[in-house]
Amino acid sequence: MAGINLAPSSIGEREMRDTHLPRFRMAVRDAGIYAVMPSYNEVDGVPAHANRWLLHQILREEWQFEGVVFSDYAGIMMLDHFHHTASSAKEAALQALQAGVDVEAPFPWGYAQLKELLDEGRVTEAMIDRAVSRILRIKFMMGLFEKPYIDPARVREAVRTPEHLKLAREVAEESIVLLKNEGGLLPLDPKRLKSIAVIGPNAHQVQFGDYSPTRSNQHGVTVLQGIREVAGKELQIRYAKGCDITGNDRSGFDEAILAASQSDLVILVMVHGRPYAIAWEKAHLPAILETWYPGEEGGRAVANILFGITNPSGRLSMSIPQSVGHVPVYYSHKPSGRGYYRDPGSPEKPGHDYVFASTEPLFSFGYGLSYTTFRYDDLQVERDRYRGFPAPPHQRGRGG
């Protein structure tokens, strides 16, 4: 999708079923979800909000989904002014309802025309009743008619409890990935350090990701706060924002450079929502920590990893490319997806696949370091056959 949220996906049915649909099927069938939201984009030329193959044949008939299909924000409206598959609100509503969209959000725009479409005979009462019955069914299952109101005073008792915060920290700790640790620089030992610098626009700013109701530091722990809590008062912490997340203002660079020059080491802690091409950083920085958007307890989780209270155990759920030009990069590539010659190139010695680079990712899917070292020795199999494939002759009959 080229990094654009609404860009078309040129994926055929075979690839959809083989690669992409299985994980969605597990979410629908195994997790017992109540609602599904179509995406904004089009798939194989058909917008998702008008795609009966996706929303009815796959979702309803094959996966037996009985919940509600809830439109994305103005998703039905986009059929008219964005995708141009409809020429009016009525046409957009007709396409969406026929495809299987039950609820229009954020307000009735196309579905406000359903009465007129019904009078014209273009939709039937059965089509409308089917959508309404799905909505009512979910409301009954949730007990909204028996207990329609809640006590707002109890919200504080149920939100951000100590158990919730503990879980948030554990989830953050287990998702953080140690990408580089040259010379065993990490974990940090406060007794061996005099000063560390915490630099950057995300150092003292919580990041919960997009669509978050708040970006206030009052609702989370920043990396700077977490480091100060763990490091204690003996270790001097120098903080410099340096710059904003976006913009060209460099007025804070001098302060950041000074803080770095007065400190003992440099570690890159990345806080972001998608992989960056960090070939220069990998080559020049001794330690790199990938934290993604670590949530409300992210600062404590990062500090616990940095100072060895928690051993990093996260593994990459995606491959990180060497550069933008290497995209797409993913683990399940075809045999031809990395070239034929397997001859990586460089400016000094051109190659045959990419002339000036390797086709390999910078960091592969599943990669992740820890503070422990281990190895496997004398591996053996316990049976002569696994899933129809015989064990290698030299390992047959050797119990492990």
Side-chain angles (χ1 to χ4, degrees):
M1 297 174 64
I4 300 175
N5 185 31
L6 309 173
S9 295
S10 300
I11 302 173
E13 182 175 353
R14 186 207 58 78
E15 185 178 356
M16 281 283 288
R17 290 185 179 275
D18 182 54
T19 303
H20 302 284
L21 289 180
R23 67 203 68 180
F24 291 95
R25 183 182 185 277
M26 287 188 288
V28 170
R29 295 293 302 272
D30 299 341
I33 59 175
Y34 282 4
V36 168
M37 178 178 287
S39 61
Y40 281 131
N41 66 311
E42 63 178 59
V43 179
D44 200 21
V46 182
H49 282 76
N51 196 323
R52 184 172 174 81
W53 177 74
L54 271 179
L55 302 183
H56 182 76
Q57 179 178 325
I58 299 295
L59 186 63
R60 300 287 186 188
E61 294 186 355
E62 297 183 18
W63 296 353
Q64 299 297 300
F65 177 66
E66 296 181 346
V68 172
V69 174
F70 195 103
S71 86
D72 208 335
Y73 194 101
I76 294 177
M77 190 182 299
M78 287 184 179
L79 296 176
D80 173 42
H81 74 269
F82 184 66
H83 292 292
H84 302 294
T85 61
S87 59
S88 65
K90 282 201 303 184
E91 292 295 330
L94 182 62
Q95 291 180 14
L97 189 65
Q98 288 177 336
V101 180
D102 301 310
V103 184
E104 180 179 14
F107 51 80
W109 175 80
Y111 281 10
Q113 316 299 318
L114 288 179
K115 175 63 167 61
E116 189 172 339
L117 286 167
L118 180 65
D119 293 340
E120 294 173 358
R122 303 178 70 184
V123 303
T124 64
E125 287 190 21
M127 295 169 63
I128 298 174
D129 289 345
R130 185 166 54 244
V132 172
S133 66
R134 291 167 179 163
I135 300 167
L136 292 176
R137 176 178 176 272
I138 297 302
K139 290 185 176 183
F140 276 114
M141 291 175 64
M142 296 176 66
L144 295 182
F145 292 102
E146 292 80 5
K147 298 179 180 179
Y149 305 110
I150 62 172
D151 182 4
R154 297 190 59 190
V155 171
R156 292 185 180 274
E157 301 175 11
V159 176
R160 300 192 79 232
T161 65
E163 293 79 10
H164 294 164
L165 297 178
K166 179 177 180 291
L167 178 60
R169 189 187 70 252
E170 291 174 349
V171 169
E173 290 172 347
E174 293 181 12
S175 66
I176 291 173
V177 184
L178 179 60
L179 295 179
K180 184 178 180 181
N181 191 22
E182 189 176 282
L185 179 64
L186 297 175
L188 302 176
D189 185 352
K191 297 179 180 179
R192 297 184 179 183
L193 299 171
K194 295 181 179 179
S195 173
I196 62 174
V198 184
I199 299 171
N202 282 322
H204 194 38
Q205 174 62 55
V206 296
Q207 290 293 347
F208 301 139
D210 204 0
Y211 287 89
S212 171
T214 177
R215 288 176 173 83
S216 170
N217 285 356
Q218 295 180 352
H219 297 94
V221 181
T222 69
V223 173
L224 176 63
Q225 290 170 331
I227 290 175
R228 283 175 171 166
E229 286 182 10
V230 174
K233 297 181 180 180
E234 301 300 323
L235 183 59
Q236 183 176 6
I237 310 296
R238 292 186 171 92
Y239 163 66
K241 183 178 180 181
C243 63
D244 294 325
I245 296 176
T246 59
N248 298 317
D249 184 5
R250 299 189 176 190
S251 60
F253 278 20
D254 289 342
E255 179 188 12
I257 293 171
L258 178 62
S261 66
Q262 294 175 337
S263 301
D264 296 332
L265 47 86
V266 176
I267 300 168
L268 174 61
V269 177
M270 297 191 295
V271 181
H272 58 171
R274 64 181 64 191
Y276 290 168
I278 53 171
W280 184 94
E281 290 79 359
K282 180 183 179 183
H284 293 87
L285 299 179
I288 303 175
L289 201 64
E290 172 62 85
T291 73
W292 312 110
Y293 286 137
E296 59 186 331
E297 285 288 299
R300 291 193 178 99
V302 170
N304 287 346
I305 297 286
L306 290 176
F307 288 92
I309 298 173
T310 301
N311 187 33
S313 60
R315 300 293 183 264
L316 288 178
S317 59
M318 62 191 72
S319 297
I320 296 180
Q322 296 194 43
S323 71
V324 174
H326 285 75
V327 175
V329 174
Y330 47 89
Y331 78 96
S332 58
H333 62 85
K334 295 292 186 178
S336 58
R338 296 280 170 82
Y340 175 77
Y341 295 97
R342 299 297 193 269
D343 180 22
S346 67
E348 296 76 22
K349 184 182 178 181
H352 286 83
D353 296 309
Y354 284 131
V355 177
F356 298 126
S358 168
T359 61
E360 296 299 316
L362 190 67
F363 295 103
S364 298
F365 170 87
Y367 180 85
L369 304 175
S370 73
Y371 296 148
T372 59
T373 58
F374 56 88
R375 69 180 184 182
Y376 299 102
D377 289 317
D378 193 26
L379 297 181
Q380 300 176 7
V381 295
E382 298 177 349
R383 298 197 301 252
D384 290 343
R385 182 174 293 274
Y386 286 88
R387 294 185 181 180
F389 293 95
H394 67 280
Q395 290 187 338
R396 292 178 187 172
R398 295 173 62 192

